[in-house]
PDB file of all heavy atoms in Angstrom:
ATOM      1  N   ALA A   1     -24.555   7.396 -23.857  1.00 98.00           N
ATOM      2  CA  ALA A   1     -25.538   6.742 -22.961  1.00 98.00           C
ATOM      3  C   ALA A   1     -25.339   7.232 -21.522  1.00 98.00           C
ATOM      4  O   ALA A   1     -24.314   7.859 -21.230  1.00 98.00           O
ATOM      5  CB  ALA A   1     -25.328   5.212 -23.035  1.00 98.00           C
ATOM      6  N   PRO A   2     -26.306   6.992 -20.635  1.00 98.00           N
ATOM      7  CA  PRO A   2     -26.119   7.443 -19.234  1.00 98.00           C
ATOM      8  C   PRO A   2     -25.139   6.507 -18.466  1.00 98.00           C
ATOM      9  O   PRO A   2     -25.543   5.669 -17.687  1.00 98.00           O
ATOM     10  CB  PRO A   2     -27.536   7.348 -18.676  1.00 98.00           C
ATOM     11  CG  PRO A   2     -28.194   6.276 -19.499  1.00 98.00           C
ATOM     12  CD  PRO A   2     -27.621   6.403 -20.883  1.00 98.00           C
ATOM     13  N   TYR A   3     -23.851   6.761 -18.710  1.00 98.00           N
ATOM     14  CA  TYR A   3     -22.812   5.885 -18.215  1.00 98.00           C
ATOM     15  C   TYR A   3     -21.631   6.777 -17.797  1.00 98.00           C
ATOM     16  O   TYR A   3     -21.297   7.731 -18.393  1.00 98.00           O
ATOM     17  CB  TYR A   3     -22.354   4.945 -19.369  1.00 98.00           C
ATOM     18  CG  TYR A   3     -21.072   4.208 -19.109  1.00 98.00           C
ATOM     19  CD1 TYR A   3     -21.085   2.949 -18.510  1.00 98.00           C
ATOM     20  CD2 TYR A   3     -19.842   4.754 -19.543  1.00 98.00           C
ATOM     21  CE1 TYR A   3     -19.883   2.276 -18.313  1.00 98.00           C
ATOM     22  CE2 TYR A   3     -18.651   4.050 -19.380  1.00 98.00           C
ATOM     23  CZ  TYR A   3     -18.680   2.828 -18.757  1.00 98.00           C
ATOM     24  OH  TYR A   3     -17.527   2.121 -18.579  1.00 98.00           O
ATOM     25  N   ARG A   4     -21.065   6.360 -16.601  1.00 98.00           N
ATOM     26  CA  ARG A   4     -19.903   7.125 -16.117  1.00 98.00           C
ATOM     27  C   ARG A   4     -18.976   6.218 -15.319  1.00 98.00           C
ATOM     28  O   ARG A   4     -19.416   5.221 -14.728  1.00 98.00           O
ATOM     29  CB  ARG A   4     -20.382   8.250 -15.198  1.00 98.00           C
ATOM     30  CG  ARG A   4     -19.358   9.301 -14.868  1.00 98.00           C
ATOM     31  CD  ARG A   4     -18.905  10.084 -16.121  1.00 98.00           C
ATOM     32  NE  ARG A   4     -18.080  11.237 -15.816  1.00 98.00           N
ATOM     33  CZ  ARG A   4     -16.744  11.207 -15.725  1.00 98.00           C
ATOM     34  NH1 ARG A   4     -16.080  10.116 -15.809  1.00 98.00           N
ATOM     35  NH2 ARG A   4     -16.095  12.364 -15.537  1.00 98.00           N
ATOM     36  N   VAL A   5     -17.679   6.546 -15.310  1.00 98.00           N
ATOM     37  CA  VAL A   5     -16.686   5.855 -14.497  1.00 98.00           C
ATOM     38  C   VAL A   5     -15.905   6.905 -13.730  1.00 98.00           C
ATOM     39  O   VAL A   5     -15.517   7.934 -14.300  1.00 98.00           O
ATOM     40  CB  VAL A   5     -15.761   5.031 -15.347  1.00 98.00           C
ATOM     41  CG1 VAL A   5     -14.617   4.427 -14.503  1.00 98.00           C
ATOM     42  CG2 VAL A   5     -16.475   3.873 -16.019  1.00 98.00           C
ATOM     43  N   TYR A   6     -15.690   6.693 -12.413  1.00 98.00           N
ATOM     44  CA  TYR A   6     -14.911   7.606 -11.585  1.00 98.00           C
ATOM     45  C   TYR A   6     -13.861   6.820 -10.802  1.00 98.00           C
ATOM     46  O   TYR A   6     -14.104   5.692 -10.349  1.00 98.00           O
ATOM     47  CB  TYR A   6     -15.797   8.324 -10.537  1.00 98.00           C
ATOM     48  CG  TYR A   6     -16.708   9.359 -11.088  1.00 98.00           C
ATOM     49  CD1 TYR A   6     -18.084   9.147 -11.158  1.00 98.00           C
ATOM     50  CD2 TYR A   6     -16.244  10.626 -11.480  1.00 98.00           C
ATOM     51  CE1 TYR A   6     -18.953  10.074 -11.632  1.00 98.00           C
ATOM     52  CE2 TYR A   6     -17.102  11.566 -11.970  1.00 98.00           C
ATOM     53  CZ  TYR A   6     -18.468  11.334 -12.024  1.00 98.00           C
ATOM     54  OH  TYR A   6     -19.309  12.309 -12.512  1.00 98.00           O
ATOM     55  N   ASN A   7     -12.703   7.468 -10.623  1.00 98.00           N
ATOM     56  CA  ASN A   7     -11.720   6.998  -9.630  1.00 98.00           C
ATOM     57  C   ASN A   7     -12.163   7.486  -8.244  1.00 98.00           C
ATOM     58  O   ASN A   7     -12.626   8.637  -8.098  1.00 98.00           O
ATOM     59  CB  ASN A   7     -10.336   7.597  -9.906  1.00 98.00           C
ATOM     60  CG  ASN A   7      -9.674   7.047 -11.160  1.00 98.00           C
ATOM     61  OD1 ASN A   7      -9.941   5.910 -11.579  1.00 98.00           O
ATOM     62  ND2 ASN A   7      -8.791   7.816 -11.768  1.00 98.00           N
ATOM     63  N   ILE A   8     -11.962   6.627  -7.220  1.00 98.00           N
ATOM     64  CA  ILE A   8     -12.008   7.118  -5.866  1.00 98.00           C
ATOM     65  C   ILE A   8     -10.730   6.674  -5.181  1.00 98.00           C
ATOM     66  O   ILE A   8     -10.562   5.507  -4.820  1.00 98.00           O
ATOM     67  CB  ILE A   8     -13.236   6.573  -5.062  1.00 98.00           C
ATOM     68  CG1 ILE A   8     -14.554   6.951  -5.811  1.00 98.00           C
ATOM     69  CG2 ILE A   8     -13.223   7.118  -3.667  1.00 98.00           C
ATOM     70  CD1 ILE A   8     -15.759   6.631  -4.990  1.00 98.00           C
ATOM     71  N   GLY A   9      -9.793   7.630  -5.074  1.00 97.00           N
ATOM     72  CA  GLY A   9      -8.509   7.319  -4.472  1.00 97.00           C
ATOM     73  C   GLY A   9      -7.961   8.570  -3.787  1.00 97.00           C
ATOM     74  O   GLY A   9      -8.542   9.656  -3.907  1.00 97.00           O
ATOM     75  N   ASN A  10      -6.904   8.400  -3.002  1.00 95.00           N
ATOM     76  CA  ASN A  10      -6.406   9.504  -2.172  1.00 95.00           C
ATOM     77  C   ASN A  10      -5.441  10.418  -2.901  1.00 95.00           C
ATOM     78  O   ASN A  10      -5.069  11.458  -2.406  1.00 95.00           O
ATOM     79  CB  ASN A  10      -5.683   8.888  -0.958  1.00 95.00           C
ATOM     80  CG  ASN A  10      -5.755   9.809   0.249  1.00 95.00           C
ATOM     81  OD1 ASN A  10      -6.791  10.453   0.505  1.00 95.00           O
ATOM     82  ND2 ASN A  10      -4.699   9.873   1.002  1.00 95.00           N
ATOM     83  N   ASN A  11      -4.972   9.999  -4.129  1.00 92.00           N
ATOM     84  CA  ASN A  11      -4.063  10.758  -4.935  1.00 92.00           C
ATOM     85  C   ASN A  11      -2.747  11.024  -4.180  1.00 92.00           C
ATOM     86  O   ASN A  11      -2.083  12.024  -4.407  1.00 92.00           O
ATOM     87  CB  ASN A  11      -4.702  12.094  -5.362  1.00 92.00           C
ATOM     88  CG  ASN A  11      -3.899  12.825  -6.416  1.00 92.00           C
ATOM     89  OD1 ASN A  11      -3.504  13.989  -6.223  1.00 92.00           O
ATOM     90  ND2 ASN A  11      -3.617  12.177  -7.492  1.00 92.00           N
ATOM     91  N   GLN A  12      -2.390  10.129  -3.223  1.00 92.00           N
ATOM     92  CA  GLN A  12      -1.160  10.269  -2.456  1.00 92.00           C
ATOM     93  C   GLN A  12      -0.540   8.901  -2.256  1.00 92.00           C
ATOM     94  O   GLN A  12      -0.637   8.284  -1.202  1.00 92.00           O
ATOM     95  CB  GLN A  12      -1.480  10.896  -1.108  1.00 92.00           C
ATOM     96  CG  GLN A  12      -2.025  12.312  -1.118  1.00 92.00           C
ATOM     97  CD  GLN A  12      -0.939  13.313  -1.482  1.00 92.00           C
ATOM     98  OE1 GLN A  12       0.244  13.093  -1.250  1.00 92.00           O
ATOM     99  NE2 GLN A  12      -1.380  14.417  -2.079  1.00 92.00           N
ATOM    100  N   PRO A  13       0.115   8.343  -3.282  1.00 94.00           N
ATOM    101  CA  PRO A  13       0.705   6.990  -3.149  1.00 94.00           C
ATOM    102  C   PRO A  13       1.700   6.918  -1.956  1.00 94.00           C
ATOM    103  O   PRO A  13       2.456   7.850  -1.764  1.00 94.00           O
ATOM    104  CB  PRO A  13       1.392   6.758  -4.488  1.00 94.00           C
ATOM    105  CG  PRO A  13       0.769   7.702  -5.441  1.00 94.00           C
ATOM    106  CD  PRO A  13       0.386   8.906  -4.593  1.00 94.00           C
ATOM    107  N   VAL A  14       1.648   5.808  -1.289  1.00 95.00           N
ATOM    108  CA  VAL A  14       2.531   5.584  -0.108  1.00 95.00           C
ATOM    109  C   VAL A  14       3.305   4.297  -0.340  1.00 95.00           C
ATOM    110  O   VAL A  14       2.782   3.282  -0.710  1.00 95.00           O
ATOM    111  CB  VAL A  14       1.653   5.435   1.182  1.00 95.00           C
ATOM    112  CG1 VAL A  14       2.556   5.072   2.354  1.00 95.00           C
ATOM    113  CG2 VAL A  14       0.881   6.720   1.436  1.00 95.00           C
ATOM    114  N   GLU A  15       4.634   4.396  -0.108  1.00 94.00           N
ATOM    115  CA  GLU A  15       5.477   3.185  -0.182  1.00 94.00           C
ATOM    116  C   GLU A  15       5.080   2.188   0.912  1.00 94.00           C
ATOM    117  O   GLU A  15       4.751   2.588   2.053  1.00 94.00           O
ATOM    118  CB  GLU A  15       6.944   3.551  -0.089  1.00 94.00           C
ATOM    119  CG  GLU A  15       7.504   4.227  -1.323  1.00 94.00           C
ATOM    120  CD  GLU A  15       9.021   4.258  -1.318  1.00 94.00           C
ATOM    121  OE1 GLU A  15       9.641   3.906  -0.236  1.00 94.00           O
ATOM    122  OE2 GLU A  15       9.616   4.570  -2.365  1.00 94.00           O
ATOM    123  N   LEU A  16       5.160   0.934   0.563  1.00 93.00           N
ATOM    124  CA  LEU A  16       4.815  -0.093   1.555  1.00 93.00           C
ATOM    125  C   LEU A  16       5.735   0.003   2.767  1.00 93.00           C
ATOM    126  O   LEU A  16       5.351  -0.277   3.923  1.00 93.00           O
ATOM    127  CB  LEU A  16       4.969  -1.524   0.966  1.00 93.00           C
ATOM    128  CG  LEU A  16       3.827  -1.933   0.018  1.00 93.00           C
ATOM    129  CD1 LEU A  16       4.006  -3.382  -0.402  1.00 93.00           C
ATOM    130  CD2 LEU A  16       2.462  -1.703   0.616  1.00 93.00           C
ATOM    131  N   GLY A  17       6.981   0.420   2.555  1.00 93.00           N
ATOM    132  CA  GLY A  17       7.888   0.625   3.688  1.00 93.00           C
ATOM    133  C   GLY A  17       7.368   1.639   4.681  1.00 93.00           C
ATOM    134  O   GLY A  17       7.538   1.471   5.905  1.00 93.00           O
ATOM    135  N   ARG A  18       6.764   2.697   4.159  1.00 95.00           N
ATOM    136  CA  ARG A  18       6.169   3.761   5.011  1.00 95.00           C
ATOM    137  C   ARG A  18       4.960   3.192   5.774  1.00 95.00           C
ATOM    138  O   ARG A  18       4.791   3.449   6.949  1.00 95.00           O
ATOM    139  CB  ARG A  18       5.754   4.941   4.166  1.00 95.00           C
ATOM    140  CG  ARG A  18       4.931   6.020   4.853  1.00 95.00           C
ATOM    141  CD  ARG A  18       5.705   6.690   5.960  1.00 95.00           C
ATOM    142  NE  ARG A  18       4.956   7.789   6.555  1.00 95.00           N
ATOM    143  CZ  ARG A  18       5.177   8.254   7.773  1.00 95.00           C
ATOM    144  NH1 ARG A  18       6.130   7.727   8.536  1.00 95.00           N
ATOM    145  NH2 ARG A  18       4.474   9.309   8.230  1.00 95.00           N
ATOM    146  N   LEU A  19       4.118   2.405   5.098  1.00 96.00           N
ATOM    147  CA  LEU A  19       2.992   1.783   5.766  1.00 96.00           C
ATOM    148  C   LEU A  19       3.479   0.899   6.892  1.00 96.00           C
ATOM    149  O   LEU A  19       2.900   0.955   7.998  1.00 96.00           O
ATOM    150  CB  LEU A  19       2.208   0.966   4.754  1.00 96.00           C
ATOM    151  CG  LEU A  19       1.105   0.047   5.339  1.00 96.00           C
ATOM    152  CD1 LEU A  19      -0.034   0.900   5.879  1.00 96.00           C
ATOM    153  CD2 LEU A  19       0.593  -0.956   4.315  1.00 96.00           C
ATOM    154  N   ILE A  20       4.510   0.110   6.683  1.00 96.00           N
ATOM    155  CA  ILE A  20       5.018  -0.812   7.710  1.00 96.00           C
ATOM    156  C   ILE A  20       5.513   0.032   8.888  1.00 96.00           C
ATOM    157  O   ILE A  20       5.257  -0.333  10.051  1.00 96.00           O
ATOM    158  CB  ILE A  20       6.107  -1.675   7.140  1.00 96.00           C
ATOM    159  CG1 ILE A  20       5.516  -2.640   6.101  1.00 96.00           C
ATOM    160  CG2 ILE A  20       6.816  -2.472   8.260  1.00 96.00           C
ATOM    161  CD1 ILE A  20       6.556  -3.353   5.243  1.00 96.00           C
ATOM    162  N   ALA A  21       6.181   1.116   8.634  1.00 96.00           N
ATOM    163  CA  ALA A  21       6.709   1.947   9.717  1.00 96.00           C
ATOM    164  C   ALA A  21       5.580   2.530  10.534  1.00 96.00           C
ATOM    165  O   ALA A  21       5.672   2.618  11.802  1.00 96.00           O
ATOM    166  CB  ALA A  21       7.566   3.065   9.171  1.00 96.00           C
ATOM    167  N   LEU A  22       4.483   2.940   9.911  1.00 97.00           N
ATOM    168  CA  LEU A  22       3.328   3.491  10.614  1.00 97.00           C
ATOM    169  C   LEU A  22       2.679   2.383  11.499  1.00 97.00           C
ATOM    170  O   LEU A  22       2.265   2.659  12.615  1.00 97.00           O
ATOM    171  CB  LEU A  22       2.323   4.101   9.664  1.00 97.00           C
ATOM    172  CG  LEU A  22       2.764   5.364   8.976  1.00 97.00           C
ATOM    173  CD1 LEU A  22       1.817   5.758   7.881  1.00 97.00           C
ATOM    174  CD2 LEU A  22       2.886   6.517  10.001  1.00 97.00           C
ATOM    175  N   LEU A  23       2.540   1.203  10.932  1.00 97.00           N
ATOM    176  CA  LEU A  23       1.960   0.120  11.726  1.00 97.00           C
ATOM    177  C   LEU A  23       2.871  -0.250  12.914  1.00 97.00           C
ATOM    178  O   LEU A  23       2.352  -0.484  14.015  1.00 97.00           O
ATOM    179  CB  LEU A  23       1.806  -1.127  10.812  1.00 97.00           C
ATOM    180  CG  LEU A  23       0.697  -1.111   9.783  1.00 97.00           C
ATOM    181  CD1 LEU A  23       0.812  -2.240   8.795  1.00 97.00           C
ATOM    182  CD2 LEU A  23      -0.680  -1.105  10.457  1.00 97.00           C
ATOM    183  N   GLU A  24       4.170  -0.244  12.718  1.00 97.00           N
ATOM    184  CA  GLU A  24       5.094  -0.543  13.813  1.00 97.00           C
ATOM    185  C   GLU A  24       4.916   0.524  14.920  1.00 97.00           C
ATOM    186  O   GLU A  24       4.845   0.127  16.105  1.00 97.00           O
ATOM    187  CB  GLU A  24       6.524  -0.527  13.319  1.00 97.00           C
ATOM    188  CG  GLU A  24       6.890  -1.708  12.450  1.00 97.00           C
ATOM    189  CD  GLU A  24       8.306  -1.587  11.899  1.00 97.00           C
ATOM    190  OE1 GLU A  24       8.727  -0.456  11.615  1.00 97.00           O
ATOM    191  OE2 GLU A  24       8.992  -2.627  11.784  1.00 97.00           O
ATOM    192  N   ALA A  25       4.813   1.740  14.549  1.00 97.00           N
ATOM    193  CA  ALA A  25       4.696   2.826  15.530  1.00 97.00           C
ATOM    194  C   ALA A  25       3.355   2.702  16.302  1.00 97.00           C
ATOM    195  O   ALA A  25       3.325   2.870  17.528  1.00 97.00           O
ATOM    196  CB  ALA A  25       4.791   4.160  14.893  1.00 97.00           C
ATOM    197  N   ALA A  26       2.262   2.434  15.569  1.00 97.00           N
ATOM    198  CA  ALA A  26       0.914   2.351  16.192  1.00 97.00           C
ATOM    199  C   ALA A  26       0.834   1.110  17.087  1.00 97.00           C
ATOM    200  O   ALA A  26       0.140   1.144  18.122  1.00 97.00           O
ATOM    201  CB  ALA A  26      -0.151   2.391  15.141  1.00 97.00           C
ATOM    202  N   LEU A  27       1.472   0.022  16.696  1.00 96.00           N
ATOM    203  CA  LEU A  27       1.387  -1.231  17.452  1.00 96.00           C
ATOM    204  C   LEU A  27       2.471  -1.284  18.555  1.00 96.00           C
ATOM    205  O   LEU A  27       2.373  -2.144  19.445  1.00 96.00           O
ATOM    206  CB  LEU A  27       1.539  -2.416  16.534  1.00 96.00           C
ATOM    207  CG  LEU A  27       0.362  -2.650  15.542  1.00 96.00           C
ATOM    208  CD1 LEU A  27       0.771  -3.637  14.439  1.00 96.00           C
ATOM    209  CD2 LEU A  27      -0.863  -3.177  16.339  1.00 96.00           C
ATOM    210  N   GLY A  28       3.490  -0.456  18.457  1.00 95.00           N
ATOM    211  CA  GLY A  28       4.528  -0.465  19.437  1.00 95.00           C
ATOM    212  C   GLY A  28       5.465  -1.684  19.308  1.00 95.00           C
ATOM    213  O   GLY A  28       6.059  -2.099  20.310  1.00 95.00           O
ATOM    214  N   ARG A  29       5.544  -2.269  18.122  1.00 95.00           N
ATOM    215  CA  ARG A  29       6.386  -3.452  17.911  1.00 95.00           C
ATOM    216  C   ARG A  29       7.052  -3.320  16.544  1.00 95.00           C
ATOM    217  O   ARG A  29       6.525  -2.715  15.628  1.00 95.00           O
ATOM    218  CB  ARG A  29       5.549  -4.742  17.991  1.00 95.00           C
ATOM    219  CG  ARG A  29       4.680  -4.811  19.241  1.00 95.00           C
ATOM    220  CD  ARG A  29       3.953  -6.104  19.327  1.00 95.00           C
ATOM    221  NE  ARG A  29       2.919  -6.072  20.346  1.00 95.00           N
ATOM    222  CZ  ARG A  29       2.211  -7.120  20.769  1.00 95.00           C
ATOM    223  NH1 ARG A  29       2.462  -8.319  20.234  1.00 95.00           N
ATOM    224  NH2 ARG A  29       1.318  -6.997  21.711  1.00 95.00           N
ATOM    225  N   ARG A  30       8.237  -4.019  16.449  1.00 95.00           N
ATOM    226  CA  ARG A  30       8.948  -3.985  15.199  1.00 95.00           C
ATOM    227  C   ARG A  30       8.544  -5.201  14.353  1.00 95.00           C
ATOM    228  O   ARG A  30       8.248  -6.271  14.869  1.00 95.00           O
ATOM    229  CB  ARG A  30      10.451  -4.013  15.428  1.00 95.00           C
ATOM    230  CG  ARG A  30      11.013  -2.755  16.089  1.00 95.00           C
ATOM    231  CD  ARG A  30      10.777  -1.516  15.220  1.00 95.00           C
ATOM    232  NE  ARG A  30      11.417  -1.598  13.945  1.00 95.00           N
ATOM    233  CZ  ARG A  30      12.664  -1.219  13.694  1.00 95.00           C
ATOM    234  NH1 ARG A  30      13.394  -0.684  14.648  1.00 95.00           N
ATOM    235  NH2 ARG A  30      13.142  -1.328  12.465  1.00 95.00           N
ATOM    236  N   ALA A  31       8.605  -5.006  13.035  1.00 94.00           N
ATOM    237  CA  ALA A  31       8.310  -6.112  12.112  1.00 94.00           C
ATOM    238  C   ALA A  31       9.561  -6.787  11.682  1.00 94.00           C
ATOM    239  O   ALA A  31      10.595  -6.130  11.397  1.00 94.00           O
ATOM    240  CB  ALA A  31       7.554  -5.566  10.910  1.00 94.00           C
ATOM    241  N   GLU A  32       9.479  -8.112  11.593  1.00 93.00           N
ATOM    242  CA  GLU A  32      10.563  -8.878  10.933  1.00 93.00           C
ATOM    243  C   GLU A  32      10.248  -9.004   9.487  1.00 93.00           C
ATOM    244  O   GLU A  32       9.197  -9.573   9.101  1.00 93.00           O
ATOM    245  CB  GLU A  32      10.686 -10.271  11.558  1.00 93.00           C
ATOM    246  CG  GLU A  32      11.745 -11.133  10.938  1.00 93.00           C
ATOM    247  CD  GLU A  32      11.718 -12.579  11.435  1.00 93.00           C
ATOM    248  OE1 GLU A  32      11.084 -12.846  12.491  1.00 93.00           O
ATOM    249  OE2 GLU A  32      12.367 -13.414  10.778  1.00 93.00           O
ATOM    250  N   GLN A  33      11.080  -8.422   8.608  1.00 92.00           N
ATOM    251  CA  GLN A  33      10.747  -8.314   7.184  1.00 92.00           C
ATOM    252  C   GLN A  33      11.555  -9.313   6.346  1.00 92.00           C
ATOM    253  O   GLN A  33      12.757  -9.498   6.548  1.00 92.00           O
ATOM    254  CB  GLN A  33      11.048  -6.914   6.673  1.00 92.00           C
ATOM    255  CG  GLN A  33      10.250  -5.844   7.415  1.00 92.00           C
ATOM    256  CD  GLN A  33      10.511  -4.460   6.872  1.00 92.00           C
ATOM    257  OE1 GLN A  33      10.751  -4.294   5.683  1.00 92.00           O
ATOM    258  NE2 GLN A  33      10.376  -3.459   7.697  1.00 92.00           N
ATOM    259  N   ARG A  34      10.796 -10.025   5.446  1.00 91.00           N
ATOM    260  CA  ARG A  34      11.428 -10.924   4.471  1.00 91.00           C
ATOM    261  C   ARG A  34      11.240 -10.345   3.099  1.00 91.00           C
ATOM    262  O   ARG A  34      10.113 -10.148   2.688  1.00 91.00           O
ATOM    263  CB  ARG A  34      10.819 -12.340   4.553  1.00 91.00           C
ATOM    264  CG  ARG A  34      11.056 -13.074   5.839  1.00 91.00           C
ATOM    265  CD  ARG A  34      10.508 -14.508   5.750  1.00 91.00           C
ATOM    266  NE  ARG A  34       9.081 -14.536   5.422  1.00 91.00           N
ATOM    267  CZ  ARG A  34       8.346 -15.622   5.624  1.00 91.00           C
ATOM    268  NH1 ARG A  34       8.817 -16.717   6.141  1.00 91.00           N
ATOM    269  NH2 ARG A  34       7.043 -15.602   5.280  1.00 91.00           N
ATOM    270  N   MET A  35      12.344 -10.083   2.406  1.00 90.00           N
ATOM    271  CA  MET A  35      12.226  -9.447   1.072  1.00 90.00           C
ATOM    272  C   MET A  35      11.865 -10.510   0.031  1.00 90.00           C
ATOM    273  O   MET A  35      12.429 -11.610   0.002  1.00 90.00           O
ATOM    274  CB  MET A  35      13.548  -8.755   0.717  1.00 90.00           C
ATOM    275  CG  MET A  35      13.895  -7.648   1.678  1.00 90.00           C
ATOM    276  SD  MET A  35      12.592  -6.388   1.756  1.00 90.00           S
ATOM    277  CE  MET A  35      12.862  -5.640   3.351  1.00 90.00           C
ATOM    278  N   ARG A  36      10.912 -10.125  -0.806  1.00 86.00           N
ATOM    279  CA  ARG A  36      10.436 -11.017  -1.823  1.00 86.00           C
ATOM    280  C   ARG A  36      10.319 -10.250  -3.182  1.00 86.00           C
ATOM    281  O   ARG A  36      10.119  -9.024  -3.176  1.00 86.00           O
ATOM    282  CB  ARG A  36       9.043 -11.529  -1.501  1.00 86.00           C
ATOM    283  CG  ARG A  36       8.983 -12.426  -0.237  1.00 86.00           C
ATOM    284  CD  ARG A  36       9.572 -13.791  -0.592  1.00 86.00           C
ATOM    285  NE  ARG A  36       9.315 -14.767   0.510  1.00 86.00           N
ATOM    286  CZ  ARG A  36      10.239 -15.133   1.346  1.00 86.00           C
ATOM    287  NH1 ARG A  36      11.491 -14.637   1.297  1.00 86.00           N
ATOM    288  NH2 ARG A  36       9.969 -16.042   2.291  1.00 86.00           N
ATOM    289  N   PRO A  37      10.413 -10.987  -4.290  1.00 84.00           N
ATOM    290  CA  PRO A  37      10.221 -10.325  -5.596  1.00 84.00           C
ATOM    291  C   PRO A  37       8.735  -9.975  -5.798  1.00 84.00           C
ATOM    292  O   PRO A  37       7.863 -10.567  -5.093  1.00 84.00           O
ATOM    293  CB  PRO A  37      10.679 -11.386  -6.588  1.00 84.00           C
ATOM    294  CG  PRO A  37      10.481 -12.703  -5.899  1.00 84.00           C
ATOM    295  CD  PRO A  37      10.777 -12.401  -4.452  1.00 84.00           C
ATOM    296  N   VAL A  38       8.454  -9.110  -6.707  1.00 78.00           N
ATOM    297  CA  VAL A  38       7.061  -8.722  -6.984  1.00 78.00           C
ATOM    298  C   VAL A  38       6.273  -9.890  -7.540  1.00 78.00           C
ATOM    299  O   VAL A  38       6.697 -10.485  -8.544  1.00 78.00           O
ATOM    300  CB  VAL A  38       7.027  -7.512  -7.964  1.00 78.00           C
ATOM    301  CG1 VAL A  38       5.599  -7.123  -8.311  1.00 78.00           C
ATOM    302  CG2 VAL A  38       7.796  -6.336  -7.392  1.00 78.00           C
ATOM    303  N   PRO A  39       5.116 -10.244  -6.961  1.00 75.00           N
ATOM    304  CA  PRO A  39       4.336 -11.367  -7.498  1.00 75.00           C
ATOM    305  C   PRO A  39       3.712 -11.046  -8.858  1.00 75.00           C
ATOM    306  O   PRO A  39       3.533  -9.886  -9.203  1.00 75.00           O
ATOM    307  CB  PRO A  39       3.251 -11.521  -6.436  1.00 75.00           C
ATOM    308  CG  PRO A  39       3.660 -10.714  -5.263  1.00 75.00           C
ATOM    309  CD  PRO A  39       4.505  -9.623  -5.791  1.00 75.00           C
ATOM    310  N   ALA A  40       3.391 -12.095  -9.602  1.00 73.00           N
ATOM    311  CA  ALA A  40       2.694 -11.944 -10.857  1.00 73.00           C
ATOM    312  C   ALA A  40       1.364 -11.256 -10.646  1.00 73.00           C
ATOM    313  O   ALA A  40       0.664 -11.553  -9.670  1.00 73.00           O
ATOM    314  CB  ALA A  40       2.495 -13.284 -11.503  1.00 73.00           C
ATOM    315  N   GLY A  41       0.991 -10.347 -11.511  1.00 68.00           N
ATOM    316  CA  GLY A  41      -0.277  -9.633 -11.421  1.00 68.00           C
ATOM    317  C   GLY A  41      -0.210  -8.356 -10.645  1.00 68.00           C
ATOM    318  O   GLY A  41      -1.163  -7.579 -10.769  1.00 68.00           O
ATOM    319  N   ASP A  42       0.877  -8.079  -9.929  1.00 75.00           N
ATOM    320  CA  ASP A  42       0.988  -6.825  -9.176  1.00 75.00           C
ATOM    321  C   ASP A  42       1.635  -5.754 -10.052  1.00 75.00           C
ATOM    322  O   ASP A  42       2.343  -6.058 -10.992  1.00 75.00           O
ATOM    323  CB  ASP A  42       1.849  -7.047  -7.905  1.00 75.00           C
ATOM    324  CG  ASP A  42       1.052  -7.566  -6.768  1.00 75.00           C
ATOM    325  OD1 ASP A  42      -0.017  -8.174  -7.008  1.00 75.00           O
ATOM    326  OD2 ASP A  42       1.453  -7.420  -5.623  1.00 75.00           O
ATOM    327  N   VAL A  43       1.337  -4.500  -9.719  1.00 79.00           N
ATOM    328  CA  VAL A  43       1.890  -3.405 -10.453  1.00 79.00           C
ATOM    329  C   VAL A  43       2.742  -2.544  -9.478  1.00 79.00           C
ATOM    330  O   VAL A  43       2.481  -2.583  -8.261  1.00 79.00           O
ATOM    331  CB  VAL A  43       0.794  -2.482 -11.105  1.00 79.00           C
ATOM    332  CG1 VAL A  43       0.049  -3.297 -12.179  1.00 79.00           C
ATOM    333  CG2 VAL A  43      -0.167  -1.923 -10.079  1.00 79.00           C
ATOM    334  N   PRO A  44       3.717  -1.811  -9.929  1.00 83.00           N
ATOM    335  CA  PRO A  44       4.640  -1.079  -9.002  1.00 83.00           C
ATOM    336  C   PRO A  44       3.983   0.079  -8.299  1.00 83.00           C
ATOM    337  O   PRO A  44       4.359   0.449  -7.182  1.00 83.00           O
ATOM    338  CB  PRO A  44       5.772  -0.621  -9.937  1.00 83.00           C
ATOM    339  CG  PRO A  44       5.219  -0.624 -11.275  1.00 83.00           C
ATOM    340  CD  PRO A  44       4.209  -1.723 -11.318  1.00 83.00           C
TER     341      PRO A  44
END
């Protein structure tokens, strides 16, 4: 049938730690981090 599925992604996974560091640099402030276990429904 006339049906299609596509991914639209960057193909470059980034660790959340890296994202936080970039936000800290752009905002000029440090983050206070609280470590938590992975919530239900999330994937690694």
Side-chain angles (χ1 to χ4, degrees):
Y3 167 89
R4 194 65 170 91
V5 173
Y6 288 107
N7 290 332
I8 301 188
N10 210 39
N11 191 236
Q12 296 288 332
V14 175
E15 286 194 350
L16 286 186
R18 171 64 175 157
L19 170 69
I20 294 166
L22 289 171
L23 287 169
E24 289 176 326
L27 291 165
R29 310 183 192 190
R30 294 299 300 271
E32 179 187 345
Q33 301 184 30
R34 293 187 303 198
M35 297 303 156
R36 295 284 190 258
V38 177
D42 276 22
V43 296

